[in-house]
Amino acid sequence: MKNKLQEYLYQHIPLSKALGIRIECATSEKIILWAPFANNINHKKTVFGGSLHAVATLACWSLLYVALKEVSDGHYQIVITKSDVAYHLPVDDDFRVEVQRPEASKWQRFLQVLKAKGKARLELSASIVHKDHPAVTYQASFAALS
Amino acid sequence: MKNKLQEYLYQHIPLSKALGIRIECATSEKIILWAPFANNINHKKTVFGGSLHAVATLACWSLLYVALKEVSDGHYQIVITKSDVAYHLPVDDDFRVEVQRPEASKWQRFLQVLKAKGKARLELSASIVHKDHPAVTYQASFAALS
């Protein structure tokens, strides 16, 4: 799944290639994306805030893509509707974004609404840990549509 | 200022080049950045949400950079601390982000605190209008530090 997902992102979202992402983990329960410092550096020699947000968005989108493929033929559209990011600490190295699928009850409710109405929303949280401290917290709302 | 700013961004924030931004307006009161569809397309043939956020972040940062240069020797650091984005409509073409300096009273208060304490925060709002409708609203908090 890792290689297929990376190929899909590189092919369909060219910015993912410019960000330099690599997929370290891609299951229906967890996505970890890695990105290199060099591609994402800014004038202060830290990672550009837009890059941190963009990689987190790709991680969350990927989780929904992989998890929905497992329970369907993959025909759902996945759309971001809003995102909130808090930048707690600067990141000055390669970085990883991790996102986990929400707890079972929330996930099952999302799937039920999606099957019944052909549309459902899900909130996802991603985090970037840098030198053992939470550097960035990212929350976003995604809609899936049949 | 337009050409200098674009050169600065391309040199120091390589992702700005990958995003393909062009600076259409750069004054201490307004920034307009343009970005091409091709660089920022996604799997649905609309603009990737991470690109919309990243260009808005560059626009707001640029406004503070230009406006602070006008009242100082440009030694302030400008750091994003949080951002909230609402994606109202998909964008399926080249796009522009516009950000204006806040009203005079808010701007003057920001400068006073910055001079007195060497640190101040400012909220900025950017918008992306597509086919005469607001497609994306972006709000972010920036800190300036001496």
Side-chain angles (χ1 to χ4, degrees):
Chain A
M1 189 66 215
K2 281 200 307 191
N3 293 347
K4 270 194 179 176
L5 178 61
Q6 181 154 321
E7 203 179 298
Y8 183 89
L9 292 175
Y10 273 33
Q11 191 180 344
H12 292 93
I13 308 180
L15 199 75
S16 66
K17 203 167 185 172
L19 292 161
I21 58 154
R22 300 274 166 201
I23 294 169
E24 289 197 342
C25 170
T27 72
S28 61
E29 296 194 349
K30 184 160 77 175
I31 299 282
I32 301 176
L33 298 188
W34 172 94
F37 188 40
N39 296 40
N40 298 296
I41 198 165
N42 69 10
H43 57 293
K44 292 190 287 84
K45 312 284 181 224
T46 61
V47 175
F48 168 48
S51 291
L52 296 165
H53 172 280
V55 178
T57 300
L58 288 172
C60 290
W61 183 90
S62 297
L63 182 84
L64 267 175
Y65 178 76
V66 173
L68 284 176
K69 251 196 188 299
E70 205 179 70
V71 294
S72 71
D73 58 1
H75 70 285
Y76 292 112
Q77 297 276 0
I78 303 159
V79 180
I80 187 168
T81 59
K82 66 186 195 70
S83 63
D84 301 338
V85 189
Y87 305 91
H88 309 295
L89 293 171
V91 177
D92 59 2
D93 203 347
D94 303 341
F95 62 98
R96 282 178 180 80
V97 178
E98 179 171 334
V99 54
Q100 300 207 16
R101 201 170 73 189
E103 67 270 18
S105 60
K106 203 172 164 184
W107 178 247
Q108 288 306 324
R109 199 164 55 241
F110 165 74
L111 288 181
Q112 280 164 8
V113 174
L114 185 56
K115 280 172 192 165
K117 302 194 175 178
K119 185 178 176 177
R121 277 174 197 271
L122 190 71
E123 295 253 322
L124 291 173
S125 301
S127 62
I128 295 168
V129 174
H130 182 57
K131 292 174 184 165
D132 296 329
H133 290 90
V136 179
T137 50
Y138 171 101
Q139 284 198 302
S141 180
F142 288 82
L145 313 150
S146 60
Chain B
M1 191 65 213
K2 280 200 307 190
N3 292 347
K4 270 194 180 173
L5 179 61
Q6 182 155 322
E7 202 179 297
Y8 183 88
L9 292 175
Y10 273 33
Q11 192 181 342
H12 292 92
I13 308 181
L15 199 74
S16 65
K17 203 167 187 173
L19 292 162
I21 58 153
R22 301 273 167 203
I23 294 170
E24 288 198 343
C25 170
T27 73
S28 62
E29 297 194 348
K30 184 160 78 177
I31 299 281
I32 301 176
L33 298 188
W34 172 92
F37 188 41
N39 295 40
N40 297 295
I41 199 166
N42 70 10
H43 58 292
K44 290 190 288 90
K45 312 286 182 223
T46 62
V47 175
F48 169 48
S51 291
L52 296 165
H53 172 279
V55 178
T57 301
L58 289 171
C60 291
W61 183 89
S62 296
L63 182 85
L64 269 173
Y65 177 76
V66 173
L68 284 175
K69 251 195 188 303
E70 204 178 70
V71 294
S72 71
D73 58 0
H75 70 284
Y76 292 113
Q77 297 276 359
I78 303 159
V79 180
I80 188 168
T81 59
K82 67 187 194 70
S83 63
D84 300 337
V85 189
Y87 305 91
H88 308 295
L89 293 171
V91 177
D92 58 3
D93 203 347
D94 303 341
F95 62 99
R96 283 177 180 79
V97 178
E98 179 172 335
V99 56
Q100 301 207 16
R101 202 171 73 189
E103 65 273 17
S105 60
K106 203 171 163 183
W107 178 248
Q108 289 306 325
R109 199 164 55 242
F110 166 73
L111 288 181
Q112 281 164 8
V113 174
L114 184 57
K115 279 171 192 165
K117 302 195 176 179
K119 183 178 177 178
R121 278 173 196 270
L122 190 72
E123 294 252 323
L124 290 173
S125 301
S127 63
I128 295 169
V129 174
H130 182 59
K131 294 177 183 162
D132 297 329
H133 290 89
V136 179
T137 51
Y138 171 101
Q139 284 197 301
S141 182
F142 287 82
L145 314 149
S146 61

